[in-house]
Amino acid sequence: MDLTLYVWRQNGPDEKGKMEQYEAKNVSPDSSFLEMLDEVNEELIANGELPIEFDNDCREGICGTCGCVINGVPHGPQEKTTTCQLHMRQFNDGDTITLEPWRAGAFPVVKDLVVDRSALDKIIQAGGYTSAYTGEVGEANQTLIPKPDADYAMDAAECIGCGACVAACPNGSAMLFTCAKVAQMAVLPQGQVEAAERVKNMTEALLNAGFGNCTNHYECEAACPKGVSVKFIAKSNREYIKALGK
Amino acid sequence: MQMLQSSIGRKLVMAATGLCLVGFVIVHLLGNSSIFIGADGINAYAEHLHSLGPLVWVFRIVLLGLFGLHIFFGIQLTLENSAARPIDYVEKQNIRTSFGAETMIYTGLAILAFVVYHLLHFTMHVTNPEISVGVLPLDALGRNDVFTMVVLSFQKFFISAIYAGAMVALLLHLSHGIQSLFQTLGLLNGKTLPVMEKIGRAVAVVAFIGFVSIPVSILLGLIKV
Ligand code: HEM
Ligand code: FES
């Protein structure tokens, strides 16, 4: 199939960017979205033009490196799917596709579709860890954790840190990312020791990094390639209330 | 104090004040519906409120404080949120949110403007003094004739239209706000959130119909002096 692409091109963080038009010809419906971009890039390189920069690593939907806003939706039209796992059969011959980077003040554009997401690391550094000694390998199983709690923590830990929640949020907020970590640790005994500081420090880091505040649009959950639920935001709000007196 | 700088802390203030304001809206609606009983209903209700004396003033000041906090943080958070995306998308498609959620600041400001007008109209008798309590004669039992003031006011189409427009803003604000406040207070989970979204919308619709039914009934001549 043949497609028309409108892609955000920006040479560097301080350069002015703009949308440019490209034609993608003879795209196989079985190729992945990034393979389609690879082919477009090969042609650009052959013509002596700069290829379109985009982030990617595992191409298996597990690392969280890839991601751009495809036709206005982070990671594109297919639910619970990363950009690298999106396939061209989701599109039709003759379609127009717009490609933009994650848009947030806290995510400055590095080049084209690549943004700097180290603001998310700052949030993790503010409390997304436990200082409790959890023992050697075998000893981990000595702290018994009820199955529902383990499942809950695992659901929250599904976050791959791609930043689609920020890109989707009308307020450019990283609440889903932050709260998934707060909630994951709040139900585990090792995490409970630092629960009160964690929720305060991580949400403070969120504001300091320049992210917005949550107003419960729930766009984050809809865009999350792992389906991380906004129930973790409610959980973190409870954790914050519990921490108020401390 | 740290709470009033924090992201969740300020949202909690929005939610708590929002909850109180919703409570006020519901009580106000119940009070207003006494107009359907006729002059005896609403004039007695107004007389009763004024007989509370200083309590009325305590109530007014608390309400003003709640309203002020809600507006202050509403504007502050909205400004921060729009600053968080300095460069907008060329194309952005929202999947989950609602028109009500996207327009909270506008419907909020519309409600604020309406509240100012509403107070000038029915409380301070500034906008239409000729048909207001103070100029109108007392009713047969010697009470302020609130009933006649309301009926003569809403018989003016323009005044009814202002009230109806404001109630559309309230409808939109509450259709998002009610479920949002319970989520902010941490009272929802994956199962109860969709239920609360429905309840919130239902309450918003009931409040809308309740308030608007008064000017509509008067314009249709179902309630007359
Ligand atoms: C009768 C009057 C009002 C009622 C009953 C009301 C109710 C609510 C409720 C329940 C919320 C949800 C709080 C939360 O998400 O935790 C809310 C949010 C909000 N309100 Fe109001 N409000 C009123 C007036 C106003 C006014 C006058 C403004 C003017 C600026 C305003 C602006 C906002 C904003 C910006 C939000 C935040 C949006 C969000 O969190 O999604 N509201 N309101
Ligand atoms: S490249 Fe690893 S998730 Fe897409």
Side-chain angles (χ1 to χ4, degrees):
Chain A
M1 48 192 195
D2 296 339
L3 304 159
T4 306
L5 308 182
Y6 289 93
V7 185
W8 181 261
R9 299 305 305 265
Q10 181 174 342
N11 247 327
D14 303 319
E15 308 276 324
K16 237 177 100 81
K18 65 170 195 295
M19 299 298 276
E20 298 261 13
Q21 184 181 342
Y22 300 93
E23 304 299 327
K25 299 255 182 250
N26 284 322
V27 177
S28 158
D30 297 325
S31 69
S32 77
F33 197 84
L34 297 186
E35 284 164 345
M36 181 274 293
L37 283 182
D38 289 338
E39 283 174 19
V40 171
N41 274 345
E42 270 166 34
E43 208 177 303
L44 285 177
I45 294 167
N47 293 339
E49 292 175 56
L50 284 175
I52 301 162
E53 291 287 339
F54 56 88
D55 254 336
N56 70 108
D57 189 22
C58 71
R59 295 209 178 189
E60 310 188 304
I62 54 169
C63 75
T65 309
C66 65
C68 50
V69 175
I70 303 169
N71 286 343
V73 180
H75 292 300
Q78 194 176 5
E79 251 185 62
K80 295 192 192 172
T81 307
T82 55
T83 303
C84 63
Q85 287 294 296
L86 182 66
H87 283 77
M88 296 313 293
R89 61 184 83 93
Q90 297 289 329
F91 298 90
N92 298 312
D93 187 40
D95 275 2
T96 315
I97 302 177
T98 59
L99 287 178
E100 292 178 76
W102 288 172
R103 289 284 185 210
F107 287 167
V109 172
V110 177
K111 195 162 193 258
D112 300 339
L113 304 174
V114 179
V115 298
D116 178 356
R117 284 167 290 187
S118 52
L120 294 182
D121 300 336
K122 295 214 182 80
I123 295 176
I124 294 297
Q125 282 161 5
Y129 52 80
T130 71
S131 314
Y133 177 62
T134 51
E136 302 291 330
V137 179
E139 295 168 19
N141 292 334
Q142 286 172 0
T143 310
L144 294 179
I145 293 167
K147 174 82 167 127
D149 290 350
D151 286 349
Y152 184 93
M154 284 301 278
D155 286 348
E158 271 205 71
C159 171
I160 54 175
C162 64
C165 45
V166 178
C169 176
N171 308 332
S173 179
M175 270 301 261
L176 189 60
F177 171 82
T178 308
C179 294
K181 196 54 71 189
V182 169
Q184 176 201 334
M185 301 208 160
V187 292
L188 300 176
Q190 296 89 346
Q192 277 155 8
V193 186
E194 290 155 305
E197 303 102 273
R198 178 175 304 111
V199 64
K200 283 186 190 164
N201 294 343
M202 288 183 76
T203 49
E204 192 183 318
L206 169 139
L207 276 193
N208 290 342
F211 293 106
N213 306 281
C214 177
T215 58
N216 303 321
H217 288 286
Y218 312 136
E219 284 296 322
C220 49
E221 178 184 294
C224 178
K226 298 296 150 183
V228 172
S229 163
V230 294
K231 72 180 179 193
F232 300 120
I233 298 181
K235 169 75 176 164
S236 302
N237 293 342
R238 288 199 286 283
E239 288 297 312
Y240 182 87
I241 295 170
K242 266 201 272 172
L244 272 182
K246 297 188 185 161
Chain B
M1 276 308 107
Q2 197 193 12
M3 177 184 170
L4 298 185
Q5 281 153 22
S6 116
S7 188
I8 301 181
R10 288 176 296 165
K11 282 288 310 188
L12 288 174
V13 175
M14 292 293 296
T17 54
L19 180 62
C20 297
L21 292 173
V22 172
F24 166 75
V25 162
I26 292 171
V27 172
H28 194 39
L29 174 61
L30 292 176
N32 290 357
S33 57
S34 63
I35 196 165
F36 288 105
I37 302 171
D40 254 351
I42 196 161
N43 289 359
Y45 171 67
E47 183 84 356
H48 175 69
L49 283 186
H50 283 274
S51 70
L52 296 175
L55 261 184
V56 175
W57 276 102
V58 173
F59 186 75
R60 281 174 173 167
I61 287 164
V62 170
L63 202 57
L64 185 70
L66 293 170
F67 209 60
L69 282 173
H70 189 83
I71 294 169
F72 177 79
F73 286 119
I75 294 175
Q76 193 189 49
L77 291 169
T78 304
L79 290 177
E80 280 177 23
N81 293 349
S82 45
R85 176 162 296 134
I87 302 175
D88 213 347
Y89 290 105
V90 174
E91 186 183 342
K92 174 69 165 58
Q93 216 185 305
N94 288 333
I95 303 171
R96 179 75 158 73
T97 189
S98 62
F99 182 68
E102 290 175 300
T103 51
M104 287 303 271
I105 188 67
Y106 306 112
T107 53
L109 291 173
I111 294 168
L112 173 62
F114 166 73
V115 168
V116 172
Y117 169 72
H118 183 49
L119 292 177
L120 289 174
H121 177 205
F122 280 150
T123 307
M124 295 188 259
H125 315 305
V126 173
T127 52
N128 291 81
E130 74 288 355
I131 48 170
S132 290
V133 162
V135 174
L136 291 174
L138 299 178
D139 74 358
L141 292 178
R143 299 172 299 206
N144 277 336
D145 197 355
V146 174
F147 178 80
T148 303
M149 171 172 75
V150 172
V151 173
L152 293 181
S153 289
F154 285 151
Q155 279 175 350
K156 294 185 194 294
F157 182 78
F158 184 64
I159 295 183
S160 280
I162 293 176
Y163 276 77
M167 291 309 107
V168 173
L170 186 67
L171 167 71
L172 287 169
H173 204 79
L174 294 189
S175 70
H176 171 72
I178 293 176
Q179 60 81 26
S180 177
L181 86 89
F182 287 103
Q183 167 79 356
T184 302
L185 294 175
L187 298 172
L188 300 180
N189 60 36
K191 284 204 192 71
T192 51
L193 172 61
V195 179
M196 189 49 86
E197 285 185 293
K198 291 204 184 79
I199 295 176
R201 277 190 217 116
V203 172
V205 169
V206 168
F208 174 76
I209 294 175
F211 281 119
V212 167
S213 67
I214 297 171
V216 167
S217 304
I218 290 170
L219 282 176
L220 291 178
L222 300 177
I223 303 175
K224 49 183 183 282
V225 280

